[in-house]
Amino acid sequence: GAGGVAVLAHPMHYKLSAGKRRRLVAEFAAAGGGAIEVCSGASTPDAISVVARLARDNGLQASVGSDFHHPDGWAKLGRSIEHTGGCEPVWSRWVAAQ
């Protein structure tokens, strides 16, 4: 009711086969999920391609993240991450409304 969007975070980090990952994403979308994290701080180009395809195949928008958790690890705070994969970004629904 508040206008939020359910996003499946870092789908490549789950220890799943490709088939189980496809099923997870399909079930997430069928349950009303709206977006999937296509790219994060440590994503490889191959992983981005796989997740972008999952997003497109399941009608999901794309989210991106820096995976900043603390100063001593992961990506640097504010690191620019480009959206890739040809997916519609989840934030476009709010940008268009402005």
Side-chain angles (χ1 to χ4, degrees):
V5 176
V7 177
L8 181 62
H10 45 75
M12 297 301 281
H13 289 265
Y14 308 124
K15 294 181 181 183
L16 300 172
S17 66
K20 287 183 180 179
R21 185 175 295 110
R22 282 192 302 271
R23 223 170 333 154
L24 169 69
V25 174
E27 290 180 16
F28 172 76
I36 188 169
E37 187 177 37
V38 170
C39 157
S40 66
S43 295
T44 65
D46 288 341
I48 292 168
S49 178
V50 166
V51 179
R53 179 166 187 119
L54 288 169
R56 286 191 302 273
D57 288 350
N58 290 280
L60 298 171
Q61 292 179 308
S63 169
V64 298
S66 68
D67 270 2
F68 174 82
H69 291 272
H70 54 82
D72 297 325
W74 301 68
K76 293 181 180 180
L77 182 60
R79 176 180 167 186
S80 176
I81 298 176
E82 293 194 23
H83 173 333
T84 60
C87 300
E88 179 184 5
V90 68
W91 57 86
S92 67
R93 63 182 70 203
W94 293 282
V95 173
Q98 292 180 353

